[in-house]
Amino acid sequence: MPQHRCTGWLPQPPAPVLLLLTVLTLFLSANPAIAWRPWPHLKHNTSNLRFGDNKKFEGSSDFVKLRYHMGPVLTANITVHTIWYGTWQPGQKKIIREFINSISAAGSKRPSVAGWWRTVQLYTDQTGANISRTVQRGAEKNDRFYSHGKTLTRLSIQSVIKSAVTAKTRPLPVNPQSGLYLLLTSDDVYVQDFCKQVCGFHYFTFPSLVGYTLPYAWIGNSAKLCPGTCAYPFAVPDYIPGLKPLKSPNGDVGVEGMISVIAHEIAELASNPFVNAWYAGQDPSFPVEIADLCEGIYGTGGGGSYTGQLMDDHNGATYNMNGIRRKFLVQWVWSHILNYCTGPNALDQ
């Protein structure tokens, strides 16, 4: 997955400017791991975008060298703290909350979101401890008045998180060990590189800016800005004539697109929260993580420009996993045990 930042070596500065350059280096070199839909760069290869063909391209161990780099993973019960930035409807919040609740839900109909999470849960740290099977919703924060405006940079995103954890009333709890901070922006908010390069990303906050080192992810609602890029296949890019969008299972195209990106980022935050645990490649500045390896794969046979075999419900909506009460379309993740991309069926026993 392409990364977009400049890195380089700096000589040791004189003592009076050391702190300033340290902060600037952190700011300028920050490169959150990103989630991006693969379809926009397939403009010249769109013949296989429709579903139903059975092609076996689910990843290959010949080209993937996923390795553990000795950093921590989230082994304690994971608590997701959501920051709702901008204007959100109750129904939109309900869809996202039910997806998060479904990650650890027992008894969901197979194939389930919980079954998908079991692949993530099998990743371990250097002591052999697994990623937690438990993912739960924690305290939330509403930022309905756009405290940092309707145009955010990657650094101002950290400022939004700082405002949430240092608020005078009902601040979010600070939990570096098992907290996961999810910043969700409404469909009228533009974030740096949104639609052009990213649909979401994850990283960790800088103590110099926020006061704490906290794993976080940002995901934007693309409904007004670029649904064909970040909500595919429930919206279709203009450059693909004749291709009809699929019907979304929960009736909100923008939020539906967010669900898969949220899943992507939570999986990578759990397995690589500080960008020093599970990833492929030698350079942590450009990590290829467990969801990146399966970008665009949602079902058996997925790969290239084909998303894989999906399911339709009785209303004609398309999905690939069951939650507690809803259906969702969620990207597969890489299994380091099976050594290929997999969905819930492989481990959903």
Side-chain angles (χ1 to χ4, degrees), residues 10 32 47 73 112 161 181 195-196 223 247 274 344 348:
L10 288 174
S47 60
V73 301
S112 69
I161 296 171
Y181 297 80
C195 300
K196 299 175 182 178
K247 183 178 180 181
F274 301 110
D348 194 5

Side-chain angles (χ1 to χ4, degrees), residues 19-36:
L19 178 59
L20 175 61
L21 285 180
T22 299
V23 172
L24 288 174
T25 300
L26 283 171
F27 281 8
L28 294 174
S29 65
N31 186 38
I34 63 176
W36 185 52

Side-chain angles (χ1 to χ4, degrees), residues 242-317:
L243 183 63
K244 296 182 179 181
L246 300 180
K247 183 178 180 181
S248 66
N250 297 294
D252 190 306
V253 169
V255 171
E256 218 78 65
M258 293 181 73
I259 291 295
S260 190
V261 185
I262 290 170
H264 179 125
E265 300 303 342
I266 289 179
E268 292 184 344
L269 273 171
S271 58
N272 197 29
F274 301 110
V275 200
N276 61 358
W278 288 94
Y279 63 87
Q282 298 300 316
D283 186 355
S285 301
F286 300 90
V288 180
E289 300 170 279
I290 67 170
D292 298 331
L293 292 168
C294 304
E295 187 69 62
I297 298 177
Y298 292 81
T300 299
S305 58
Y306 172 59
T307 54
Q309 296 177 350
L310 306 177
M311 297 180 287
D312 292 331
D313 67 12
H314 63 281
N315 292 319

Side-chain angles (χ1 to χ4, degrees), residues 227-245:
T229 299
C230 293
Y232 185 95
F234 303 120
V236 176
D238 294 336
Y239 58 76
I240 308 180
L243 183 63
K244 296 182 179 181

Side-chain angles (χ1 to χ4, degrees), residues 44-290:
H44 303 294
N45 182 22
T46 59
S47 60
N48 294 323
L49 277 168
R50 293 188 181 277
F51 306 98
D53 211 0
N54 186 17
K55 299 179 180 178
K56 297 294 183 182
F57 296 110
E58 287 140 5
S60 171
S61 60
D62 294 337
F63 302 102
V64 174
K65 301 297 181 184
L66 183 73
R67 294 176 181 173
Y68 177 55
H69 298 265
M70 306 305 290
V73 301
L74 299 185
T75 57
N77 290 350
I78 298 168
T79 301
V80 179
H81 298 290
T82 303
I83 302 169
W84 303 97
Y85 191 87
T87 303
W88 291 90
Q89 300 302 317
Q92 294 178 316
K93 290 183 176 181
K94 187 174 182 180
I95 294 169
I96 293 172
R97 286 168 177 156
E98 289 193 11
F99 172 74
I100 295 171
N101 288 339
S102 295
I103 294 175
S104 298
S108 297
K109 182 180 178 181
R110 297 175 60 193
S112 69
V113 175
W116 165 85
W117 183 253
R118 288 187 191 114
T119 298
V120 180
Q121 191 258 335
L122 291 175
Y123 284 87
T124 61
D125 65 12
Q126 57 184 304
T127 71
N130 290 89
I131 289 174
S132 176
R133 188 167 183 171
T134 300
V135 179
Q136 58 195 2
R137 288 193 303 112
E140 299 180 345
K141 195 70 176 174
N142 291 302
D143 195 333
R144 62 177 62 90
F145 298 114
Y146 308 88
S147 64
H148 290 72
K150 290 189 175 183
T151 300
L152 302 176
T153 66
R154 297 188 182 215
L155 289 179
S156 62
I157 280 177
Q158 295 207 19
S159 297
V160 174
I161 296 171
K162 178 182 179 180
S163 296
V165 299
T166 61
K168 292 182 179 180
T169 58
R170 298 183 180 179
L172 290 183
V174 174
N175 186 355
Q177 284 73 41
S178 62
L180 187 159
Y181 297 80
L182 197 62
L183 175 58
L184 307 180
T185 51
S186 58
D187 60 11
D188 56 348
V189 176
Y190 176 75
V191 173
Q192 179 182 353
D193 298 326
F194 190 24
C195 300
K196 299 175 182 178
Q197 298 168 359
V198 298
C199 297
F201 60 74
H202 76 87
Y203 207 56
F204 52 87
T205 60
F206 302 139
S208 58
L209 182 62
V210 178
Y212 311 94
T213 301
L214 304 172
Y216 77 91
W218 159 77
I219 299 94
N221 187 332
S222 66
K224 293 181 180 178
L225 296 172
C226 57
T229 299
C230 293
Y232 185 95
F234 303 120
V236 176
D238 294 336
Y239 58 76
I240 308 180
L243 183 63
K244 296 182 179 181
L246 300 180
K247 183 178 180 181
S248 66
N250 297 294
D252 190 306
V253 169
V255 171
E256 218 78 65
M258 293 181 73
I259 291 295
S260 190
V261 185
I262 290 170
H264 179 125
E265 300 303 342
I266 289 179
E268 292 184 344
L269 273 171
S271 58
N272 197 29
F274 301 110
V275 200
N276 61 358
W278 288 94
Y279 63 87
Q282 298 300 316
D283 186 355
S285 301
F286 300 90
V288 180
E289 300 170 279
I290 67 170

